[in-house]
Amino acid sequence: MNKKENMVEKGSEAYYQRQVSMGRSTLLLVVALTVLNLGLVFAGANTYLLFSASGPYYLTVMARGFDLAAYGAVNQSYTWAALAASTLVLGLYLLCWLWSKKQHNWLVAGLVLFILDTICLVLLCRFVFGDYMGSMMDFLMHGWVLYELVVAVRAARRLHDGAYTI
């Protein structure tokens, strides 16, 4: 297969549609890996996958710690409340992914959600973890996801302004 066959002309409708598709795929990847991370938390694994939303993950991890301190066991009331909040946030991400196929404004909503998640990561690093160096890969991955979503939002706007269909 020739590489030029996969290339699309920059500025064309197909070019912008590909950028929107990549942004939507990135949003879905964030949701899937966050769900997988939450599953790993409940399985007791000490593994954390990058490209996930930090807020739901760390909220659940900290809630399990609160349960351990308060009840002497994990998966008690704090954990279930955190899991409910995490499910709500992930549901919002999923709705943004699903509805962004028809309306580009949902990509903007997904971008805003991920900006808030990045702010949560910065605040956690500053006030809970005490340093930023331990989370450098998280920051790099968050930056990449933010870049992909910004590019997708700009492409969706160009498609909308150019009267293309998304």
Side-chain angles (χ1 to χ4, degrees):
M1 177 174 263
N2 190 355
K3 185 177 179 181
K4 290 201 176 217
E5 291 176 9
N6 290 333
M7 301 293 290
V8 292
E9 183 180 335
K10 187 174 181 176
S12 68
E13 180 181 3
Y15 176 78
Y16 293 130
Q17 285 176 341
R18 181 176 282 178
Q19 287 181 327
V20 170
S21 177
M22 288 296 295
R24 291 184 73 243
S25 297
T26 301
L27 200 56
L28 186 60
L29 180 67
V30 165
V31 171
L33 290 178
T34 304
V35 168
L36 187 58
N37 270 342
L38 291 175
L40 290 170
V41 167
F42 281 96
N46 284 336
T47 303
Y48 173 75
L49 303 172
L50 297 173
F51 289 106
S52 67
S54 298
Y57 174 78
Y58 287 117
L59 178 66
T60 305
V61 168
M62 286 190 284
R64 286 174 56 99
F66 292 154
D67 279 342
L68 190 58
Y71 302 113
V74 294
N75 299 342
Q76 300 295 321
S77 60
Y78 290 118
T79 302
W80 294 111
L83 188 60
S86 297
T87 302
L88 178 68
V89 170
L90 291 174
L92 289 173
Y93 275 116
L94 201 55
L95 287 176
C96 289
W97 170 77
L98 185 66
W99 291 342
S100 66
K101 184 157 178 78
K102 298 287 183 192
Q103 292 184 346
H104 72 277
N105 291 335
W106 287 102
L107 272 175
V108 175
L111 174 62
V112 169
L113 278 174
F114 205 76
I115 288 171
L116 291 174
D117 186 76
T118 305
I119 291 170
C120 283
L121 178 62
V122 169
L123 293 175
L124 280 168
C125 287
R126 172 67 173 98
F127 296 110
V128 177
F129 305 146
D131 74 334
Y132 297 100
M133 293 310 291
S135 298
M136 192 54 64
M137 286 302 294
D138 271 330
F139 285 120
L140 291 173
M141 293 304 122
H142 270 69
W144 180 78
V145 170
L146 288 172
Y147 170 77
E148 286 287 328
L149 291 174
V150 166
V151 167
V153 165
R154 290 181 64 208
R157 172 59 71 184
R158 288 194 175 130
L159 284 170
H160 182 264
D161 290 346
Y164 298 119
T165 58
I166 294 179

